[in-house]
Amino acid sequence: MEAKNSETNCYVNTSDHDLDANVFTQNMQCVWHQRIQIRHCRAQHSELRHPIKRAPFWSSSAAGSPILCTVASHQSAEMSSCLSELTPLLGGAANSSAAADYICNQFTDAGFAIDTTYLLFSAYLVFAMQLGFAMLCAGSVRAKNTMNIMLTNVLDAAAGGLFYYLFGFAFAFGGPSNGFIGKHFFGLKEVPQSNFDYSNFLYQWAFAIAAAGITSGSIAERTQFVAYLIYSAFLTGFVYPVVSHWFWSGDGWAAAGRNPGESLLFKSGVIDFAGSGVVHMVGGIAGLWGALIEGPRIGRFDHTGRSVALRGHSATLVVLGTFLLWFGWYGFNPGSFNVIFKTYGPSGSIHGQWSAVGRTAVTTTLAGCTAALTTLFGKRLQTGHWNAVDVCNGLLGGFAAITSGCSVVDPWAAIICGFVSAWVLIGLNKLAATLKFDDPLEAAQLHGGCGAWGIIFTALFAREKYVNEVYQGRPGRPYGLFMGGGGRLLAAHVIQILVILGWVSCTMCPLFFALHKLGLLRISAEDEMAGMDLTRHGGFAYVYHDEDSSAHDGGGGFMLKSAAARVEPRPTPATTNQV
């Protein structure tokens, strides 16, 4: 005889006979839903104690936080609950306790495996963005500098990996610590722990090298190779990690998910979910100072100060790189939840973190698409052309802007974000030309400017429901100004923009200036005219014919030839003096 348990909503065997097969199946389904609830409790508990954006690390207030239990006691209570619920459902057989223990362990292990797999897959997607950066950069520079810019992208990942392992990860998430900088886990010492693993480091490293890749685009075609190595190590090992500690660590002074018991900035903290400020503004502002101190490329502005287009050599590579970055952004934004196996509603509900992940992917897509179309028609009105490269940059500007609020805004709001970001980029590019600022990839304008707009956008359009789901444990938290949440979140986000601008300026500007004074920043004029591939890297990425627009009235272009058997034009009376 079976009786339904009012608390678990499952059937308990009240006889000495085995359960009917159908009832047993129902019971296992009940237990599965109960395990989901336990996973939800554990995830919520982890976020309350370690409420940072991605990786849940030890916090300074762990021992005294007003939570039901510590991690160890919580896990023990979870297991006891699992055993007490499951043992009667197995019919009271002699080995039911052992079977219940085994099944409960399997549920727990499966939950960790699902979340870890999700995080690792997201890390792989973000890392694949390095290939997108490489292709985008290569297509945006002249052919004579292709090998140089490709190599700098490789070195961003390689040097960034070592320095983030040695210092950066500890400075960013090495808690317990103060609000300014982390102080544990140097060289991944004491990793893994019970509540985070190596997958968290891998994911964070992929973000760190993305910031360095942004900067490399701003100073392309004129920077010494040693300068790339120095700034990349400094940015990924110190400058970027400090900013990520402020806004993503549970100990950070401005984090929206700060440790329980610690006050939030303007009672809200900064909601920079995937890094419009932490990643894009940091990389963009660093590139801004590098490009300002170096000065424009030779030929970028004529003797009267008019802008001269030094177009990249391959729109094909630009489009390829853009699509690779688009693909990787689905790890960048949705992956920033860190875990996916978590429910927001009652047991068996379809409403959970998986739904929020899907919504985040949708808002990301809509912002980028809207920005691309707005740029297409906006540039058409300006220039009279349908320009593929401009559309690609506009698309990426939309992605950079939505990155901050992708998880807490509605899809319709993402369209507004993308529309405005396109005009922000167009306006900043006009301003850059007026001020004779030369950024070959528009990285400072795109990532710095659109990233700043994204931070403001989040403070205007963040929805209360989504904010409370993503950043749990603080009821009554402020949300978007235009959604009725008041101006506290906006105030916090203005502070974020100002402190990132100040911090990156105070660290990267002196670095670039010192490199400039030491003669380590910019290459010679002769090397720049000849191309860095030939003068610094021993040969060209292509065997090509390149007509520099600064030297020929007919514009620029290049023609690929066979590297194995180079074919030169035969001298004739008509072509003897041609290059």
Side-chain angles (χ1 to χ4, degrees):
M1 179 178 180
E2 296 86 22
K4 198 170 187 179
N5 188 312
S6 61
E7 294 182 359
T8 64
N9 203 37
C10 298
Y11 288 93
V12 179
N13 190 17
T14 58
S15 69
D16 295 333
H17 302 289
D18 292 338
L19 285 173
D20 178 81
N22 291 332
V23 175
F24 181 80
T25 301
Q26 294 174 11
N27 282 338
M28 294 308 299
Q29 291 173 346
C30 289
V31 173
W32 172 253
H33 290 313
Q34 291 163 22
R35 293 306 96 217
I36 292 177
Q37 286 289 77
I38 291 174
R39 282 284 302 171
H40 166 62
C41 177
R42 181 176 58 203
Q44 186 179 36
H45 167 80
S46 178
E47 289 184 5
L48 288 170
R49 288 187 63 249
H50 318 292
I52 68 171
K53 177 229 172 203
R54 292 188 180 85
F57 301 102
W58 294 111
S59 62
S60 58
S61 63
S65 60
I67 308 300
L68 294 176
C69 46
T70 63
V71 168
S73 62
H74 181 81
Q75 291 175 340
S76 176
E78 176 185 318
M79 184 59 66
S80 298
S81 174
C82 179
L83 292 174
S84 63
E85 293 171 3
L86 188 55
T87 300
L89 303 180
L90 295 176
N95 61 348
S96 60
S97 296
D101 182 67
Y102 174 79
I103 293 173
C104 290
N105 281 319
Q106 293 302 307
F107 278 125
T108 301
D109 293 344
F112 282 123
I114 291 170
D115 287 338
T116 299
T117 301
Y118 176 73
L119 186 61
L120 283 173
F121 181 72
S122 298
Y124 304 151
L125 287 177
V126 177
F127 178 69
M129 296 176 76
Q130 289 299 119
L131 178 58
F133 279 125
M135 295 298 100
L136 181 71
C137 290
S140 299
V141 302
R142 289 164 291 179
K144 61 186 179 183
N145 296 310
T146 305
M147 187 181 295
N148 172 262
I149 197 68
M150 295 280 278
L151 186 57
T152 61
N153 277 272
V154 175
L155 266 296
D156 282 338
L162 285 178
F163 281 90
Y164 197 72
Y165 161 77
L166 293 172
F167 311 109
F169 187 72
F171 289 150
F173 300 112
S177 65
N178 54 58
F180 178 76
I181 192 170
K183 57 183 181 181
H184 296 284
F185 309 135
F186 291 96
L188 294 187
K189 186 178 180 181
E190 301 177 5
V191 176
Q193 295 197 7
S194 61
N195 59 337
F196 70 94
D197 209 335
Y198 294 106
S199 56
N200 299 110
F201 165 80
L202 191 72
Y203 192 63
Q204 295 296 337
W205 161 72
F207 272 72
I209 60 177
I214 292 168
T215 305
S216 67
S218 296
I219 57 178
E221 297 202 279
R222 61 204 189 272
T223 306
Q224 292 193 44
F225 195 67
V226 65
Y228 280 114
L229 292 175
I230 293 172
Y231 98 78
S232 181
F234 185 61
L235 185 66
T236 57
F238 180 66
V239 178
Y240 165 82
V242 170
V243 177
S244 58
H245 181 82
W246 293 349
F247 303 109
W248 287 345
S249 169
D251 296 312
W253 62 270
R258 205 174 185 196
N259 296 327
E262 298 183 15
S263 61
L264 299 178
L265 181 64
F266 294 109
K267 298 184 179 180
S268 68
V270 171
I271 298 178
D272 190 5
F273 183 72
S276 289
V278 175
V279 178
H280 295 284
M281 275 195 68
V282 168
I285 294 170
L288 171 69
W289 283 111
L292 281 174
I293 292 172
E294 275 194 311
R297 292 167 291 172
I298 296 174
R300 179 64 178 86
F301 301 96
D302 64 17
H303 65 281
T304 66
R306 291 184 304 174
S307 176
V308 177
L310 299 180
R311 293 185 176 88
H313 80 277
S314 176
T316 303
L317 290 178
V318 171
V319 173
L320 174 61
T322 299
F323 274 113
L324 288 170
L325 288 169
W326 189 340
F327 180 67
W329 233 290
Y330 292 125
F332 204 98
N333 286 3
S336 292
F337 280 96
N338 194 38
V339 299
I340 193 171
F341 189 31
K342 171 185 172 183
T343 180
Y344 292 155
S347 177
S349 171
I350 63 170
H351 187 51
Q353 194 124 292
W354 48 86
S355 178
V357 167
R359 183 184 66 249
T360 300
V362 169
T363 57
T364 300
T365 302
L366 292 176
C369 293
T370 304
L373 291 175
T374 305
T375 305
L376 175 69
F377 291 102
K379 296 295 289 187
R380 168 71 175 179
L381 293 174
Q382 278 190 321
T383 66
H385 301 292
W386 307 102
N387 192 306
V389 174
D390 288 336
V391 170
C392 288
N393 285 337
L395 176 84
L396 297 177
F399 287 152
I402 195 62
T403 296
S404 172
C406 55
S407 66
V408 294
V409 300
D410 285 304
W412 62 263
I415 294 175
I416 298 174
C417 177
F419 178 80
V420 175
S421 70
W423 291 109
V424 168
L425 180 58
I426 291 172
L428 289 176
N429 283 337
K430 291 288 289 183
L431 179 63
T434 301
L435 298 177
K436 298 181 178 59
F437 173 76
D438 181 24
D439 184 330
L441 275 89
E442 303 176 5
Q445 303 94 293
L446 193 159
H447 297 278
C450 293
W453 153 243
I455 294 169
I456 298 298
F457 160 78
T458 303
L460 300 177
F461 290 94
R463 184 176 171 184
E464 181 182 16
K465 174 185 176 183
Y466 300 151
V467 169
N468 289 328
E469 286 178 348
V470 176
Y471 297 92
Q472 297 179 358
R474 304 262 187 165
R477 178 194 296 270
Y479 50 98
L481 175 64
F482 291 170
M483 308 300 288
R488 290 182 178 272
L489 183 59
L490 178 61
H493 283 208
V494 170
I495 294 295
Q496 183 193 19
I497 293 173
L498 294 177
V499 297
I500 290 178
L501 178 62
W503 170 252
V504 179
S505 298
C506 290
T507 50
M508 296 303 295
C509 178
L511 175 67
F512 282 122
F513 186 74
L515 291 173
H516 171 68
K517 287 299 184 181
L518 293 172
L520 299 175
L521 185 58
R522 183 157 185 164
I523 60 175
S524 66
E526 293 79 10
D527 287 355
E528 187 174 343
M529 292 296 293
M532 297 180 68
D533 287 2
L534 180 64
T535 60
R536 299 300 175 110
H537 301 289
F540 298 114
Y542 315 105
V543 177
Y544 69 95
H545 177 65
D546 190 3
E547 296 179 357
D548 196 316
S549 59
S550 64
H552 300 274
D553 294 334
F558 79 98
M559 179 174 62
L560 295 179
K561 297 179 180 178
S562 170
R566 180 168 180 166
V567 179
E568 299 287 358
R570 295 181 180 179
T572 66
T575 62
T576 301
N577 296 326
Q578 293 184 6
V579 177

